[in-house]
């Protein structure tokens, strides 16, 4: 069971075999809705919260489902790209406990970042941002502030890849400018030719770009 806020991301998770629970942007799904989805999914279910704010709710929903006799485990995915990495290694023929371990390992090995556009003035770890500034975040921390989406995206890509990586996942949001993902693919080809890139349309409202590195 995968939790997500966007239509494109929901379709990606369904294509990977997950049952999807939608939530409103910036909010968690109702506990009862998530618990019912878990119970409807089967007797052995892995839950992918895909957001740090949803992890605790997923644990509570899983506990409610366990009271009905189901075997439930929460894979503590903090980003959609971690959820996709977990699903990529999911094997329904493997023992459930072993499968959860592999999914958790794959999620934990996926570093993630994203772009946001500041809506108000605020103090960040790298200085003051103003409305309209592009914020580059890695694992939830602001690491770059700029005026150009592509420039900030290149910065966070280079920074994440400085620790190594073989696969980059780029998920464009609803308000990503045309050509952003293609420009980043070209950048990767020039600077990290050995890295494979996957580009998807996520449709998420708040973040013009989601980035994952495995």
């Amino acid at each position: 069971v995968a939790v997500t806020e966007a239509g494109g991301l929901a379709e990606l998770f369904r294509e990977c075999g997950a049952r999807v629970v939608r939530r409103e942007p910036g909010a968690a799904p109702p506990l009862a809705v998530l618990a019912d989805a878990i119970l409807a999914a089967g007797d052995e279910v892995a839950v992918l919260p895909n957001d740090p704010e949803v992890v605790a709710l997923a644990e509570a929903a899983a506990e409610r489902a366990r009271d009905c006799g189901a075997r439930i485990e929460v894979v503590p995915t903090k980003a959609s790209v971690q959820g996709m990495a977990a699903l990529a290694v999911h094997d329904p023929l493997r023992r459930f406990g072993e499968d959860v371990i592999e999914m958790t390992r794959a999620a934990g090995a996926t570093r993630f970042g994203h772009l946001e556009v500041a809506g108000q003035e605020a103090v960040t770890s790298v200085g003051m941002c103003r409305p309209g500034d592009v914020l580059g975040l890695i694992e939830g921390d602001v690491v770059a502030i700029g005026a150009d989406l592509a420039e900030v995206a290149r910065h966070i890509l280079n920074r994440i890849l400085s620790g190594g990586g073989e696969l980059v996942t780029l998920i464009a949001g609803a308000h990503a400018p045309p050509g952003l993902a293609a420009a980043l693919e070209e950048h990767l080809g020039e600077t990290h030719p050995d890295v494979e890139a996957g580009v998807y349309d996520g449709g998420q409202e708040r973040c013009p770009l989601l980035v994952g590195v495995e």
Side-chain angles (χ1 to χ4, degrees):
V1 174
V3 179
T4 186
E5 66 179 57
L9 285 168
E11 187 59 33
L12 288 172
F13 283 122
R14 290 191 187 99
E15 289 175 359
C16 292
R19 182 183 293 265
V20 173
V21 174
R22 294 287 297 272
R23 64 183 179 90
E24 293 298 320
L31 175 62
V33 170
L34 183 53
D36 288 346
I38 293 170
L39 285 171
D43 296 327
E44 295 181 333
V45 182
V47 184
L48 308 173
N50 300 323
D51 189 291
E53 302 299 324
V54 182
V55 173
L57 178 82
E59 292 284 4
E63 193 59 38
R64 179 180 292 191
R66 290 187 192 106
D67 291 340
C68 298
R71 190 177 180 194
I72 315 296
E73 295 293 342
V74 176
V75 180
T77 51
K78 297 179 180 179
S80 294
V81 289
Q82 286 191 327
M84 291 175 63
L87 280 172
V89 301
H90 166 57
D91 183 353
L93 300 180
R94 194 159 42 205
R95 289 183 180 179
F96 180 67
E98 296 175 357
D99 198 38
V100 169
I101 289 172
E102 291 302 317
M103 293 174 73
T104 302
R105 182 178 292 126
T110 301
R111 302 185 300 282
F112 61 92
H114 70 271
L115 301 185
E116 288 184 17
V117 177
Q120 61 185 15
E121 189 173 282
V123 177
T124 76
S125 55
V126 292
M128 179 75 72
C129 72
R130 293 173 174 78
D133 283 347
V134 179
L135 308 180
L137 294 88
I138 297 177
E139 313 251 334
D141 294 324
V142 178
V143 299
I145 300 174
D148 181 73
L149 283 166
E151 180 181 344
V152 176
R154 287 192 294 268
H155 178 85
I156 65 170
L157 267 175
N158 292 340
R159 184 154 173 174
I160 298 176
L161 283 167
S162 67
E166 299 176 351
L167 173 64
V168 170
T169 300
L170 303 172
I171 303 178
H175 304 296
L180 175 62
L184 294 175
E185 275 193 288
E186 183 178 348
H187 170 72
L188 286 170
E190 294 172 352
T191 60
H192 299 85
D194 296 332
V195 173
E196 180 182 352
V199 178
Y200 306 93
D201 181 11
Q204 65 276 3
E205 289 288 332
R206 189 180 66 176
C207 302
L209 185 72
L210 307 177
V211 177
V213 174
E214 303 173 51

